[in-house]
Amino acid sequence: VNQSFKNIEIVIVDDCSPDNSHSIIESYQKNDSRIKYIKHPHNKGLLWARITGIRNATGKYILHLDADDAISLTTCDELFALAEKNEADIVHFPVYHGPSPEKMERYFSTRKSAQLRGKQILTEFLKKKIWWSSGGKFLKRSTVIKGLEFFTLPENIHINQCEDFILFFSVCCAAKKFISDSKHGRYFYYQNDDSLTHNLFLSTERWEKVCHDFSYVRRLSLSCSRAAGLDSNEIDMPVVCHQFHLVYPSSCNITQSYSTALCGSVTRYCS
């Protein structure tokens, strides 16, 4: 609410939070007409929360901000100017991460300065040169909406793995221009060491859930690539396994045999 750029719309999606978030939000609403509050009737997960926010937004650009994260006060001002000047669909800006404000480290997992067009965007994404997290992305809303048209997700599907991967993948399929900038805007990502992706071990139940989710990620990726008129042979199991390596880089001590096991398990779910 304290952004230097005042002409913003703040869309808050409550995915059935068990705390008193609703009363806090409603108190802010009374004093700020820019706040739009939407509450899901039941928990749908992060991906659906993002989709709900996108569909209810009316601004020209979208910036996703998770409940426990933050952005610098001039971020919207700086990124709006950058996007307009460059006619960009995607602006990738600096991300800092850590367990607390005092222990933040710069984390900018893309080129410090780059401009990509058309299929180059998806190619660089698949080469691991563009990180797929929603943090640090300033997106043209019309491009995001177009990307959502590339896949269909049943409302009863609850995905816990790589939600941002499939969402950003669809945006890359629809985008015409990508720029990255290392000097403007700041996204502060607070690392949760208790999250699934930071746990040292996966129980059998969690492993089954991971395989189920990655099978769906694969299906949606193929759906996006076909809808966008791309070669689906470029978007298949190696991409899914690659994303698994990124999500569980060391916590699960991934080896080639582990990756092969994932391929087999995910394929079983897809068959």
Side-chain angles (χ1 to χ4, degrees), residues 247-259:
V247 175
Y248 300 96
S250 59
S251 59
C252 290
N253 192 24
I254 302 296
T255 63
Q256 183 61 43
S257 60
Y258 200 73
S259 178

Side-chain angles (χ1 to χ4, degrees), residues 135-151:
K137 307 292 194 313
F138 192 73
L139 310 169
K140 184 176 289 185
R141 185 172 65 90
S142 59
T143 303
V144 178
I145 294 295
K146 183 178 179 181
L148 288 180
E149 295 173 356
F150 290 157
F151 70 90

Side-chain angles (χ1 to χ4, degrees), residues 116 118-125 130 172 175-178:
L116 303 170
K119 194 177 178 180
Q120 282 183 322
I121 301 169
L122 187 60
T123 299
E124 294 296 285
F125 172 65
I130 302 175
C172 287
K176 294 181 179 179
K177 187 173 183 181
F178 166 101

